[in-house]
Amino acid sequence: MNEQTRERSRTARRRVVIAGAGMAGVQTAVALREQGFTGTVTLIGAEPHQPYDRPPLSKAILLGTAEGSAFDVDFEALGIELRLGLEVTGVRPFEHGLDTAAGPVPYDVLVIATGAEPMRLPGAEGVPGVHLLRTLDDAERLRPVLARQHDIVVVGAGWIGAEFATAAREAGCAVTVVEAADRPLAGALPAEVAAPMAAWYADSGASLRTHARVEQVEPGAVVLDDGSRLPAGAVVVGIGARPATAWLTGSGIELGAHREVVADDHLRTSAPDVYAVGDCASFPSRRYGERLLVHHWDNALQGPRTVAANIIGETPAAYDPVPYFWSEQFGRFVQYAGHHARADATIWRGDPTGPAWSVCWLRENRLVAVLAVGRPRDLAQGRKLIEAGVLMNPELLSDPSRPLKSAKSATA
């Protein structure tokens, strides 16, 4: 038996267990089969539902225009074992054992893909009418709330808060969004970029209250720290998410400042034969010179290919994507690519009070991020320019009538 045949035989006997049946977990299982892995693949999900996609939860499913968003994957045909409705409770890396509510599950390779969980509003747990929007069950509980056209208070003007407020207004609800910061999307975008978005709320008929902290949630009302009382037939909390990693406590697997799994540039963790992918893991980006924790769909789609290639024994390139996400809110399609934290110049393309505009961030005249509102071509071209690290001409870049790709520097 030659070395290649021996390796193939060894691979065929390996057991890969994936903890988490969201986008990252499902795509890892699919990528393993697509790349030729012949060992056993077990996908463990805490929810009882067939694995499903999350973006429609704040849109079509919430409004009742779609019944579900199950992934179009034939798990049986791919030889992927599904174990659903099963909570993972711990892992013993040096024994190669995953602990679950139904007992231990042995593995040769473990992939941690447990995603993120929504942050809860202190003091609001157990109060009737308070909702989160993270799971299919959450969306199903909220559907009749929208149908009854309640007065709704949304806590948090981030991406999920804006998307839910959009759906609630479409359903005919009176909506008030309260945000502790001075603007929407305060944690995601600089003040001058997020500021024009505040007007979108009023345009849609929603009320946005900034500098507003929730003092107390009562049945039927939200009390703010300035003493004002907001009527609330329902309260939806969208104040962010954090990696779902509490179950890793005591495992010895390294966690970062945000309690995320610390992965290397091939998405390997500090434990042998354990990988981490998606919302629960950070990775070092050479492109941006820092560790990134990306809570977006595209990262959960891209990372699994790197994980699968590593498991199979190939040597893939380092995982260093240009982060990308999109949001549909208040009749606008918002897209973002890149990472602007270390930019040294901001270039506007178009009027931010208008329906279509974009913002480009440069570092040493290289494009590092782009935000596009109703300008999908800017986003598509910008993403490629970021990947290529091309030198740009800031003056040409600021002309919104010029295609972004034609604003390269003459010395590029």
Side-chain angles (χ1 to χ4, degrees), residues 91-94 247-255 269-272:
V91 60
R92 290 163 287 112
F94 294 100
W247 64 282
L248 293 171
T249 301
S251 69
I253 293 173
E254 184 185 356
L255 301 180
T269 74
S270 61

Side-chain angles (χ1 to χ4, degrees), residues 62-337:
L62 196 57
L63 290 169
T65 55
E67 283 305 312
S69 58
F71 291 113
D72 185 17
V73 174
D74 189 336
F75 294 100
E76 190 177 351
L78 290 173
I80 296 166
E81 179 193 11
L82 286 183
R83 297 190 64 181
L84 303 175
L86 182 59
E87 199 86 41
V88 290
T89 58
V91 60
R92 290 163 287 112
F94 294 100
E95 298 170 41
H96 282 63
L98 179 70
D99 294 322
T100 77
V105 177
Y107 67 83
D108 293 308
V109 178
L110 174 66
V111 180
I112 299 170
T114 42
E117 58 194 3
M119 294 169 67
R120 297 176 183 274
L121 187 64
E125 289 186 52
V127 178
V130 177
H131 300 263
L132 299 167
L133 180 53
R134 182 72 186 179
T135 68
L136 185 58
D137 288 341
D138 292 338
E140 295 288 0
R141 279 190 288 268
L142 276 163
R143 245 156 97 166
V145 173
L146 296 195
R148 288 195 294 268
Q149 299 188 333
H150 276 300
D151 286 346
I152 293 180
V153 173
V154 180
V155 183
W159 300 112
I160 195 70
E163 289 182 3
F164 178 80
T166 299
R169 284 300 300 139
E170 280 184 42
C173 300
V175 179
T176 301
V177 181
V178 297
E179 169 57 53
D182 62 348
R183 63 188 188 275
L185 296 169
L189 296 172
E192 69 273 16
V193 177
M197 298 175 176
W200 299 357
Y201 288 76
D203 290 348
S204 78
S207 171
L208 173 65
R209 297 187 58 161
T210 56
H211 299 286
R213 291 187 178 275
V214 175
E215 186 72 35
Q216 191 176 350
V217 180
E218 305 170 353
V222 172
V223 182
L224 302 182
D225 59 355
D226 64 359
S228 57
R229 245 177 125 73
L230 305 175
V235 178
V236 176
V237 179
I239 55 175
R242 57 181 157 223
T245 57
W247 64 282
L248 293 171
T249 301
S251 69
I253 293 173
E254 184 185 356
L255 301 180
H258 301 284
R259 303 296 294 166
E260 86 283 8
V261 182
V262 173
D264 69 8
D265 60 0
H266 286 77
L267 302 180
R268 296 173 294 219
T269 74
S270 61
D273 302 317
V274 181
Y275 295 83
V277 65
D279 291 6
C280 66
S282 65
F283 56 89
S285 169
R286 182 175 296 178
R287 185 193 313 278
Y288 291 108
E290 61 184 288
R291 180 166 283 277
L292 299 183
L293 174 60
V294 181
H295 279 194
H296 292 297
W297 187 90
D298 193 65
N299 177 51
L301 176 67
Q302 305 292 344
R305 296 168 193 161
T306 294
V307 172
N310 274 293
I311 290 171
I312 286 165
E314 295 174 6
T315 309
Y319 186 62
D320 196 6
V322 173
Y324 167 73
F325 69 89
W326 78 97
S327 175
E328 294 177 75
Q329 50 184 267
F330 308 117
R332 293 165 174 85
F333 187 44
V334 184
Q335 294 173 284
Y336 178 96

